[in-house]
């Protein structure tokens, strides 16, 4: 079978140390992935850029790191226990589990948020028109009717000898914002914010997704970066617009080509929401626009539900109106793994240079996993190797640096281009005499001689930080 575009990315990510399939020696686990050295460096850089813009550079957003386990009632109050599910069908021939709403999308039918009865009616209507939904895996049209499939991942906590009871059931959080709602009162009492203000956190979330092969776009364990903004109801329209612009600008600032992202406006809204837009990215590897980030209004649904189920007073004193109010909320929510995929997809270029192909990841320097690589011209000349090691050690105090003395210089350039390293520095025989090195730029491949004493300053100017 011909390799698909996505297969090309999956094998590139494995070979270049970005992403590995989890538990591979045991046959793997579907929709679970591990991040290798370059993958975690890239992921941390994306996370740091998000945190910097959402928390560090602002005085109205506070950070939080809440636990994955929360009181089980949290998820009853939020509605997740009863209704966080997807419509699942199964192929009777190859037993692949399928998302009915995704299959319907291929016929131009939007079944988002519809009841299972409506989903099955859409399918029956198609059949009546002689149109058959097919299993994408084996092509069979013999599929079960759609049924509700809960996305909640359940576990138990307690001592190993405890009986497993209803009370000991806990859920691995399906989204990180639950922790924000539960800690909102502690944040108010400890940080004394005035409305409007936000709480942001980055952390793991778990969903028992019905899997179509989408690499790290849709995984069962993933990280979210969420910010919940608490405000007076009358401020919602203006602040919502402000956050939409702010999040859009974040992508452009990190080098995103504006023609590759777009807004998707949700028509069917959750009953508590007045506005919901997603930012979508046009992926060459997934073949089309895919949701990356959601920016949604939530009214006072979350705080009123948690107040009702816990009995806690979740109102806060508002200086402006001199009254106690239950704030409204709007959120920005983005998957970190989806951003890794998006930035890889965006940066990935295959170029023709001197009749040879060069794969190069053109990351913004802030995102590049490694900022500079240091090479000795020859690996069997100890004076060059020692000098290059010493230089790498010195620069490591400032930046993420890679030392490489494998293969010839051409191969080393190719390896660094493949992981998107903006600058490569070669120590040669002249270096020993003049204390100068050759620095090569990833995108232009231009080279210049730079004095070692000027290197930190030079790197700062080239990298921009
Ligand atoms: P989708 O429609 O793709 O299932 P969603 O609308 O259910 O996503 P939200 O619940 O709004 O997603 O979650 C917010 C963000 O979290 C998404 O925009 C996405 O970036 C990320 N996310 C959600 N589910 C997953 C997943 N299974 N794997 C990776 N990222 C995810």
């Amino acid at each position: 079978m011909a390799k698909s575009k996505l297969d090309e990315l999956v094998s590139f990510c494995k070979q270049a140390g970005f992403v590995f399939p989890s538990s591979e020696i045991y046959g793997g686990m579907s929709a679970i992935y591990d991040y290798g050295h370059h993958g975690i460096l890239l992921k941390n850089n994306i996370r740091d850029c998000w945190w910097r813009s959402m928390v560090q550079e602002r005085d109205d957003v506070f950070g939080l790191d809440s636990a994955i386990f929360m009181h089980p009632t949290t998820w009853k109050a939020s509605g997740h226990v009863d209704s966080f599910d997807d419509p699942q069908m199964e192929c009777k021939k190859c037993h692949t589990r399928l998302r009915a709403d995704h299959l319907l999308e291929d016929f131009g039918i939007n079944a988002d948020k519809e009841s299972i009865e409506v989903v099955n009616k859409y399918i029956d209507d198609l059949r009546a028109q002689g149109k058959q939904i097919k299993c994408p895996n084996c092509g069979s049209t013999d599929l079960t009717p759609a049924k509700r499939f809960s996305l909640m991942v359940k576990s138990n906590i307690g001592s190993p000898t405890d009986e497993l009871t209803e009370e000991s059931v806990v859920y691995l959080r399906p989204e990180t914002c639950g922790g924000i709602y539960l800690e909102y009162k502690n944040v108010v009492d400890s940080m004394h914010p005035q409305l409007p203000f936000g709480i942001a956190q980055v952390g793991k979330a778990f969903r028992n997704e019905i899997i179509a092969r989408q690499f790290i776009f849709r995984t069962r364990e993933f990280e979210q970066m969420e910010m919940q903004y608490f405000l007076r109801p009358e401020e919602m329209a203006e602040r919502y617009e402000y956050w939409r612009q702010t999040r859009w600008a974040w992508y452009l600032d990190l080098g995103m080509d504006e023609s590759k992202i777009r807004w998707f406006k949700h028509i069917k809204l959750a009953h508590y929401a007045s506005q919901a837009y997603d930012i979508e990215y046009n992926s060459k590897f997934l073949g089309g626009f895919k949701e990356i980030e959601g920016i949604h209004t939530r009214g006072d649904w979350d705080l009123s539900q948690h107040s009702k189920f816990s009995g806690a007073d979740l109102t806060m004193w508002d200086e402006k109106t001199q009254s106690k109010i239950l704030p409204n909320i709007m959120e920005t929510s983005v998957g970190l793994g989806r951003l890794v995929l998006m930035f890889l997809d965006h940066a990935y270029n295959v170029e023709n240079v001197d009749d040879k192909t060069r794969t190069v990841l053109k990351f913004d320097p802030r995102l590049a996993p490694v900022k500079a690589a240091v090479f000795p011209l020859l690996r069997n000349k100890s004076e060059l190797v020692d000098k290059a090691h010493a230089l790498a050690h010195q620069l490591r105090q400032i930046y993420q640096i890679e030392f490489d003395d494998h293969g010839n210089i051409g191969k080393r350039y190719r390896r660094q281009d493949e992981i998107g390293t903006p600058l490569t520095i070669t120590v040669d025989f002249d270096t020993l005499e003049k204390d100068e090195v050759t620095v090569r730029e990833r995108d232009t491949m231009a080279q210049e001689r730079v004095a070692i004493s000027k290197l930190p300053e030079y790197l700062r100017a080239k990298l921009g930080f």
Side-chain angles (χ1 to χ4, degrees):
M1 213 168 91
K3 253 185 150 191
S4 74
K5 202 73 187 125
L6 188 60
D7 289 335
E8 178 188 329
L9 182 69
V10 173
S11 55
F12 168 80
C13 283
K14 188 176 167 196
Q15 154 257 313
F18 282 99
V19 182
F20 309 131
S22 170
S23 316
E24 212 179 6
I25 60 169
Y26 285 105
M29 280 189 82
S30 119
I32 306 202
Y33 289 91
D34 298 329
Y35 287 82
H37 183 65
H38 297 135
I40 181 64
L41 292 173
L42 172 61
K43 186 148 72 100
N44 285 348
N45 292 342
I46 297 172
R47 183 202 59 198
D48 291 349
C49 285
W50 185 86
W51 189 266
R52 190 186 167 101
S53 114
M54 299 298 281
V55 182
Q56 187 186 323
E57 291 177 352
R58 311 186 59 95
D59 62 3
D60 60 345
V61 178
F62 303 94
L64 177 74
D65 182 20
S66 71
I68 286 170
F69 289 133
M70 277 175 264
H71 194 287
T73 310
T74 308
W75 305 114
K76 290 208 173 82
S78 65
H80 282 82
V81 172
D82 293 327
S83 61
F84 192 52
D85 43 42
D86 281 332
Q88 178 187 284
M89 300 175 87
E90 192 178 326
C91 172
K92 290 190 190 164
K93 192 167 163 217
C94 70
H95 301 290
T96 301
R97 295 188 311 147
L98 307 162
R99 281 267 302 259
D101 52 336
H102 288 173
L103 295 175
L104 284 166
E105 266 171 30
D106 296 342
F107 292 87
I109 299 171
N110 179 358
D112 189 29
K113 296 193 178 62
E114 294 292 9
S115 70
I116 209 70
E117 292 74 24
V118 171
V119 170
N120 277 317
K121 183 169 179 317
Y122 285 147
I123 295 168
D124 291 343
D125 288 351
L126 280 177
R127 285 204 181 109
Q129 296 164 32
K131 295 178 190 161
Q132 290 283 18
I133 292 191
K134 283 190 190 134
C135 168
N137 189 43
C138 72
S140 168
T141 53
D142 197 5
L143 311 176
T144 64
K147 62 172 197 268
R148 286 171 41 168
F149 181 78
S150 173
L151 300 178
M152 298 294 281
V153 180
K154 232 185 206 180
S155 188
N156 291 87
I157 49 174
S159 86
T161 51
D162 280 352
E163 286 229 344
L164 297 182
T165 62
E166 244 325 282
E167 285 76 59
S168 68
V169 164
V170 285
Y171 297 94
L172 302 190
R173 62 182 179 197
E175 52 188 28
T176 53
C177 54
I180 297 182
Y181 307 136
L182 267 53
E183 291 305 338
Y184 139 87
K185 201 170 158 44
N186 282 327
V187 172
V188 169
D189 292 345
S190 58
M191 306 307 293
H192 314 291
Q194 284 297 304
L195 289 170
F197 70 93
I199 305 177
Q201 82 164 324
V202 179
K204 290 255 171 158
F206 302 82
R207 295 183 189 180
N208 199 1
E209 297 275 7
I210 302 163
I211 296 310
R213 287 187 57 252
Q214 288 176 304
F215 193 33
I216 51 172
F217 179 78
R218 188 179 302 286
T219 50
R220 289 176 167 149
E221 174 177 343
F222 58 100
E223 273 164 279
Q224 282 185 319
M225 306 198 288
E226 298 201 291
M227 193 278 307
Q228 306 287 311
Y229 205 67
F230 300 77
L231 35 68
R232 301 173 189 98
E234 63 273 20
E235 293 166 333
M236 185 62 92
E238 186 209 326
R239 292 290 161 154
Y240 184 72
E241 214 31 58
Y242 163 82
W243 278 109
R244 274 185 58 195
Q245 283 170 24
T246 302
R247 292 303 304 145
W248 186 261
W250 184 80
Y251 289 85
L252 302 189
D253 178 54
L254 285 172
M256 174 53 59
D257 176 352
E258 200 162 12
S259 68
K260 290 204 167 153
I261 50 176
R262 72 176 184 196
W263 288 108
F264 172 79
K265 184 181 193 318
H266 285 266
I267 305 298
K268 291 177 196 158
L269 297 174
H271 64 89
Y272 47 78
S274 55
Q275 295 247 51
Y277 278 87
D278 293 338
I279 294 177
E280 295 187 331
Y281 170 71
N282 193 1
S283 162
K284 54 181 173 269
F285 290 106
L286 291 169
F289 279 95
K290 300 283 171 193
E291 172 184 337
I292 297 295
E293 168 158 359
I295 302 166
H296 304 158
T297 64
R298 306 187 58 92
D300 69 2
W301 161 258
D302 306 281
L303 293 184
S304 61
Q305 282 294 102
H306 289 303
S307 183
K308 188 165 121 197
F309 277 72
S310 66
D313 175 7
L314 296 180
T315 57
M316 67 175 280
W317 178 253
D318 178 27
E319 290 288 340
K320 190 173 163 202
T321 55
Q322 288 290 301
S323 60
K324 278 180 115 187
I325 68 168
L326 192 67
N328 274 216
I329 294 178
M330 56 140 297
E331 69 178 357
T332 72
S333 175
V334 62
L336 187 46
R338 280 196 192 177
L339 286 179
V340 170
L341 182 62
M342 182 194 77
F343 282 117
L344 275 167
D345 186 302
H346 189 250
Y348 189 93
N349 280 276
V350 180
E351 296 175 348
N352 229 320
V353 179
D354 300 333
D355 287 338
K356 287 197 185 121
T357 55
R358 139 173 131 123
T359 303
V360 53
L361 295 187
K362 294 189 173 171
F363 287 128
D364 178 283
R366 286 166 291 177
L367 299 182
V370 174
K371 308 306 179 200
V374 179
F375 309 151
L377 183 65
L378 299 170
R379 71 183 305 197
N380 54 2
K381 291 282 176 224
S382 63
E383 58 276 40
L384 296 182
V385 174
D386 291 350
K387 184 91 183 167
H389 268 305
L391 182 57
H393 176 74
Q394 181 201 334
L395 297 175
R396 271 194 189 114
Q397 312 310 312
I398 323 173
Y399 297 113
Q400 186 73 41
I401 299 291
E402 210 160 272
F403 174 90
D404 191 1
D405 63 355
H406 290 89
N408 60 34
I409 287 282
K411 284 198 180 124
R412 295 181 209 159
Y413 281 150
R414 215 166 61 210
R415 271 199 297 272
Q416 294 303 325
D417 287 345
E418 278 195 355
I419 61 164
T421 306
L423 299 166
T424 40
I425 302 165
T426 304
V427 169
D428 55 25
F429 290 105
D430 263 4
T431 311
L432 301 177
E433 284 172 21
K434 300 191 191 139
D435 250 13
E436 283 177 2
V437 286
T438 302
V439 183
R440 170 193 181 261
E441 276 192 56
R442 175 194 69 199
D443 296 350
T444 59
M445 292 183 282
Q447 304 190 359
E448 64 178 315
R449 296 291 285 176
V450 179
I452 289 185
S453 60
K454 296 258 166 62
L455 258 187
E457 197 184 310
Y458 179 89
L459 261 59
R460 201 173 311 122
K462 287 284 175 189
L463 297 170
F465 54 89

